[in-house]
Amino acid sequence: MKLKGEKQESSDHDQGPKGKMTLLLGLVALISAFGSSFQYGYNVSVINSPAPYMQDFYNRTYFNRSGVPMDSGFQTLLWSLTVSMFPLGGFKKNLMVWPLVNRCGRKGTLLINKKKSIAAAILMGTSEVAKTFEVIIISRVIMGIYAGLASNVVPMFLGELSPKNLRGAIGVVPQLFITVGILVAQILGLNRILGNAQGWPVLLGLTGIPSLIQLLTLPFFPESPRYLLIQKGNEEQARRALQKLRGWDDVDDEIEEMRQEDRSEKEGERFSVLSLCTFRALRWQLISIIVMMMGQQLSGVNGVFYYADRIFLSAGVDENNVQYVTVSIGAINVVMTLLAVFIVESLGRRVLLLAGFGLCCVSCAVLTLALNLQTTVSWMSYLSIVCVIVYIIGHAIGARNCLWDFQICNSLPKKIPFVMITEMFLQSSRKKTFMVGGSVHWLSNFTVGLVFLYMEAGLGSYCFLVFCAICLITLVYIFFIVPETKNKTFMEINRIMAKRNKVEIQEDKEQLKDFHAVPGGQAEKKEISSSEL
């Protein structure tokens, strides 16, 4: 007998008629990702290259106001805030995603979001003229709010626009544009272009251009058919949107599939964040998401990029060419991100996660050794460069991208552990789990941005041992706890995790029975509807 929810699940795996990549679908994917995901990556990386010139601006502004130089400790605090305010803003907006997309629509939410990005770009671009560094910090918060919303909505929007057989290809676009955004910021941040004392305000202000382009063009594209049918109850508009996107008139099968998804979601129990955290049948799934999300963000990628320039200098790279080597590392990041998308289905999610965190762990350990011995052993500086490259490869294929691809294949928001949310949680608990996972993601990112400079000042190159330990803990956890989800249905994965949670799925009764130990070695069974998951 089929479990409740299995009909919905089977439809996710039944491809049905093959959709085609229409011009309209391709354009909306590119414009949505360029105007949102690209900016996410751009703003992650944009302040790295001009950091010395921006810090000098902070000093000069403070001196002109007070007549005394800025204390080094206060400068470190200000710069840490400049870096960390971006993820803090992302955390704030992560909590508001679902109400906004359900009330304003996917496209409507993106358009509303554009105004924040444009305003922040203007503020950052004019900060030097206005002689105020405070607006840069405030603008970083605003850009974080923008990125936190965009990083959720864009994959959701594109996934709901795409036919099933193209969701993998279209789903890679947001993550690809994030890495491209990082690379473009590195290129424009070269000293010869905008990474200098005169050009850094322009470099910061350029982030408004993709938003402006999207604001002018996105209104001409259709809203999500799923939103129109399920949230708005307007089948006629949903049908017209589908017909435009697919390039043919017969969209009855997709309309019926949306109706089934709506019925399945309404049948399931609604979870609050509190009930999700205390529900035994989801205990190990939730712990796994939190561990992997923290492991991904605290794995040390910021530290590796921070040390990259001095590592290359110590290896004999000319000072004028160091920035170009750093840009090449960004290009490797883009290539490996794209490569992981094509190998994840053949190798599996778990294998790539283990390989990625394993490479990051070993790279951090060897890098610590190489940095401490490079003054006495000449070839150690070259080993440092190899460690940086290996780390970036590991982070791209496993510690970040593997779980991104789960998201890609299932058209739900965000990245690595967010992919696992799609496959380890059923429909009714999935939205709140995204909120929990997103909060951990942004808070961990905020923590790294705030404390890394202090870690580096106190521990020096030994800070990589902290990252090594985090990668090792995450690796061990994945090895013993996290199952392979490749080619498994949602309910098959659910059965695997039910054993971990000490609950039993009774297929003939469509129930889960939660076992509680009682005296005498017997088991007390508590019945739990499968729809509660």
Side-chain angles (χ1 to χ4, degrees):
M1 182 174 180
K2 287 187 179 181
L3 287 169
K4 185 184 287 186
E6 200 167 35
K7 184 176 182 181
Q8 169 66 21
E9 161 199 320
S10 64
S11 68
D12 284 344
H13 293 273
D14 179 14
Q15 293 297 322
K18 297 288 185 181
K20 63 180 181 179
M21 177 63 77
T22 61
L23 177 62
L24 183 66
L25 183 58
L27 286 175
V28 72
L30 292 175
I31 289 173
S32 299
F34 175 67
S36 298
S37 303
F38 175 88
Q39 286 180 281
Y40 184 157
Y42 186 88
N43 283 281
V44 164
S45 179
V46 70
I47 63 173
N48 291 343
S49 295
Y53 306 105
M54 293 177 65
Q55 291 172 9
D56 181 62
F57 166 66
Y58 285 19
N59 279 322
R60 284 187 286 105
T61 304
Y62 185 86
F63 181 80
N64 290 336
R65 292 177 184 174
S66 63
V68 295
M70 183 183 292
D71 178 75
S72 61
F74 184 55
Q75 181 182 357
T76 300
L77 175 63
L78 281 179
W79 189 249
S80 296
L81 288 174
T82 303
V83 174
S84 61
M85 285 299 104
F86 179 72
L88 185 63
F91 165 72
K92 177 183 177 183
K93 203 62 177 182
N94 176 77
L95 303 177
M96 303 169 62
V97 169
W98 295 107
L100 275 173
V101 295
N102 288 334
R103 185 173 68 250
C104 304
R106 284 56 165 156
K107 184 178 80 171
T109 300
L110 288 176
L111 291 173
I112 292 171
N113 206 27
K114 295 296 104 182
K115 299 174 184 178
K116 299 183 182 68
S117 174
I118 294 172
I122 293 173
L123 288 174
M124 289 190 292
T126 58
S127 58
E128 188 180 36
V129 175
K131 300 186 186 314
T132 170
F133 56 77
E134 291 86 354
V135 299
I136 297 177
I137 299 175
I138 294 171
S139 298
R140 291 283 291 175
V141 178
I142 296 173
M143 287 307 304
I145 291 173
Y146 167 83
L149 193 147
S151 61
N152 279 278
V153 178
V154 171
M156 183 194 312
F157 181 47
L158 296 184
E160 293 178 358
L161 293 179
S162 308
K164 289 178 183 176
N165 61 300
L166 293 179
R167 281 179 182 169
I170 293 177
V172 71
V173 174
Q175 168 60 7
L176 183 61
F177 267 78
I178 288 175
T179 56
V180 171
I182 293 173
L183 179 61
V184 169
Q186 290 173 333
I187 294 173
L188 294 180
L190 293 172
N191 288 335
R192 294 185 178 181
I193 305 179
L194 294 174
N196 49 58
Q198 295 76 36
W200 67 261
V202 178
L203 182 65
L204 298 184
L206 286 177
T207 188
I209 294 178
S211 285
L212 182 61
I213 293 173
Q214 189 179 87
L215 186 64
L216 295 175
T217 55
L218 194 60
F220 297 99
F221 294 97
E223 176 59 275
S224 161
R226 184 187 183 280
Y227 167 76
L228 294 172
L229 182 63
I230 296 177
Q231 265 76 41
K232 302 292 288 184
N234 193 325
E235 182 176 328
E236 184 57 35
Q237 285 188 11
R239 187 178 295 275
R240 286 203 301 268
L242 275 175
Q243 289 170 344
K244 289 179 181 178
L245 289 165
R246 301 295 176 262
W248 57 62
D249 294 333
D250 184 9
V251 293
D252 291 340
D253 289 344
E254 288 193 74
I255 293 291
E256 179 57 30
E257 181 186 355
M258 291 178 197
R259 292 198 193 101
Q260 291 176 3
E261 183 178 356
D262 186 29
R263 287 194 295 267
S264 175
E265 187 171 349
K266 288 177 180 177
E267 287 172 1
E269 179 180 326
R270 302 296 177 180
F271 276 86
S272 67
V273 173
L274 179 61
S275 63
L276 178 68
C277 294
T278 57
F279 190 53
R280 179 172 181 176
L282 295 176
R283 179 180 300 166
W284 281 105
Q285 291 95 311
L286 191 62
I287 293 173
S288 298
I289 294 305
I290 292 172
V291 169
M292 289 188 292
M293 187 66 71
M294 292 182 67
Q296 174 219 352
Q297 287 299 310
L298 303 178
S299 60
V301 65
N302 293 335
V304 170
F305 274 112
Y306 181 81
Y307 263 89
D309 284 3
R310 69 183 74 179
I311 290 172
F312 299 142
L313 284 171
S314 67
V317 177
D318 186 79
E319 185 175 359
N320 295 324
N321 296 327
V322 164
Q323 283 191 316
Y324 298 101
V325 180
T326 304
V327 168
S328 69
I329 297 297
I332 292 174
N333 192 23
V334 174
V335 172
M336 295 310 301
T337 298
L338 190 58
L339 176 63
V341 174
F342 296 103
I343 64 176
V344 68
E345 286 300 334
S346 58
L347 295 182
R349 287 77 160 133
R350 188 170 180 271
V351 171
L352 284 188
L353 280 171
L354 292 172
F357 279 107
L359 287 174
C360 290
C361 179
V362 172
S363 297
C364 286
V366 177
L367 183 58
T368 303
L369 178 67
L371 289 174
N372 283 280
L373 294 180
Q374 63 185 7
T375 56
T376 55
V377 182
S378 59
W379 54 269
M380 280 293 177
S381 57
Y382 299 101
L383 181 60
S384 300
I385 294 180
V386 173
C387 288
V388 171
I389 295 173
V390 171
Y391 181 93
I392 295 301
I393 292 173
H395 192 262
I397 67 169
R400 181 189 65 230
N401 219 49
C402 173
L403 294 170
W404 265 101
D405 190 70
F406 275 119
Q407 161 219 321
I408 288 163
C409 296
N410 294 282
S411 71
L412 286 170
K414 275 196 183 268
K415 46 190 163 192
I416 295 198
F418 286 100
V419 181
M420 302 296 282
I421 295 173
T422 302
E423 301 194 331
M424 293 172 70
F425 291 82
L426 298 184
Q427 184 73 17
S428 57
S429 58
R430 202 174 286 153
K431 289 184 179 180
K432 295 301 181 183
T433 312
F434 272 110
M435 187 177 294
V436 172
S439 298
V440 174
H441 164 83
W442 287 108
L443 284 176
S444 299
N445 199 331
F446 167 73
T447 301
V448 172
L450 188 62
V451 307
F452 177 74
L453 288 180
Y454 296 99
M455 280 181 58
E456 194 273 335
L459 298 175
S461 59
Y462 288 103
C463 67
F464 287 106
L465 291 180
V466 178
F467 301 136
C468 176
I470 292 172
C471 290
L472 180 61
I473 291 170
T474 309
L475 175 70
V476 171
Y477 182 91
I478 293 171
F479 183 81
F480 286 105
I481 302 295
V482 178
E484 176 58 75
T485 57
K486 172 189 171 185
N487 294 331
K488 289 184 174 66
T489 66
F490 294 155
M491 291 305 296
E492 288 171 344
I493 298 166
N494 188 46
R495 292 187 193 102
I496 296 172
M497 297 309 296
K499 295 178 182 178
R500 183 79 60 190
N501 291 314
K502 292 184 169 52
V503 298
E504 180 181 324
I505 296 180
Q506 300 285 22
E507 298 191 19
D508 56 333
K509 294 183 179 179
E510 297 185 3
Q511 292 172 335
L512 289 176
K513 294 188 176 180
D514 190 358
F515 287 88
H516 298 277
V518 296
Q522 300 297 319
E524 175 190 353
K525 294 183 179 180
K526 176 184 175 184
E527 293 185 353
I528 304 172
S529 168
S530 64
S531 66
E532 291 180 6
L533 297 181

